[in-house]
Amino acid sequence: AEISAEAKASSEKSKFFINLGTTTVEIKADGNKVQYILPTEVITKNSFFYDEKTGALIVKLPRPILDESIVEVQSNPEKIEVKKDIGWARLSSFSGAYLETELKKNLRNSVIQAGNHELLLERAKKNAEEVVLKMLKEILQKEKLTIPTQIYFN
């Protein structure tokens, strides 16, 4: 899935008990990519059973999860938007540079957090259901079986 990731940080500075203002940096990166997987290691023969009442094959699967080993973070600077709001008495040439660097370092974590949003996980679940139903339909057709199939996620 292609997603946007956003992060925000701020830094307050004062000198001799005088507040020099707060610098806030926001970063938004479009075009990040994450991948969802179905953890197949927990699928066993007990995940499949035939419901005699309905005549359907019932398949119980784990929910898809975000595969954190395959996260593509946007590296094109043209697709990374940075907004800075510099504190009133701070040097604009330096203020926010540290925050920007830290936010960019943590962009991968922001992408993972965005990728774990419930709406994206629901979309991954729907996609997984479609793929598994298609696979099972092909297998059943090869065996010349016509059995309605239902997928449930734990």
Side-chain angles (χ1 to χ4, degrees):
E2 189 168 303
I3 59 173
S4 292
E6 298 179 25
K8 183 177 181 178
S10 60
S11 169
E12 194 174 294
K13 190 166 192 173
S14 59
K15 203 131 186 148
F16 306 113
F17 305 105
I18 299 172
N19 185 344
L20 301 177
T22 301
T23 294
T24 303
V25 177
E26 293 180 61
I27 190 169
K28 180 182 177 194
D30 293 323
N32 304 288
K33 295 181 182 174
V34 295
Q35 180 172 300
Y36 300 92
I37 58 170
L38 203 56
T40 56
E41 65 274 2
V42 297
I43 300 173
T44 66
K45 65 180 180 178
N46 294 331
S47 301
F48 301 84
F49 69 93
Y50 181 74
D51 184 347
E52 292 182 19
K53 289 181 184 175
T54 63
L57 173 63
I58 307 297
V59 182
K60 291 188 178 182
L61 298 174
R63 292 178 165 270
I65 58 172
L66 189 141
D67 184 353
E68 291 188 19
S69 67
I70 303 178
V71 175
E72 185 178 313
V73 179
Q74 185 56 255
S75 60
N76 182 347
E78 293 177 5
K79 294 194 176 197
I80 299 174
E81 182 181 334
V82 179
K83 292 181 185 176
K84 292 182 187 180
D85 182 19
I86 308 300
W88 72 273
R90 297 179 74 174
L91 297 175
S92 60
S93 59
F94 298 112
S95 191
Y98 174 76
L99 292 175
E100 181 180 345
T101 301
E102 289 302 303
L103 287 174
K104 285 181 178 177
K105 282 182 190 175
N106 290 314
L107 194 53
R108 183 177 189 282
N109 291 335
S110 298
V111 170
I112 291 170
Q113 184 178 8
N116 277 316
H117 189 277
E118 190 62 33
L119 289 175
L120 292 173
L121 291 170
E122 280 300 314
R123 189 182 320 154
K125 186 173 95 173
K126 184 174 172 39
N127 289 344
E129 180 178 10
E130 290 172 5
V131 168
V132 171
L133 282 172
K134 183 180 176 190
M135 287 173 33
L136 289 173
K137 184 179 178 182
E138 290 173 5
I139 292 169
L140 292 171
Q141 282 178 344
K142 284 182 183 176
E143 298 296 323
K144 296 183 178 17
L145 296 171
T146 307
I147 303 173
T149 306
Q150 298 174 349
I151 306 286
Y152 294 99
F153 289 93
N154 298 331

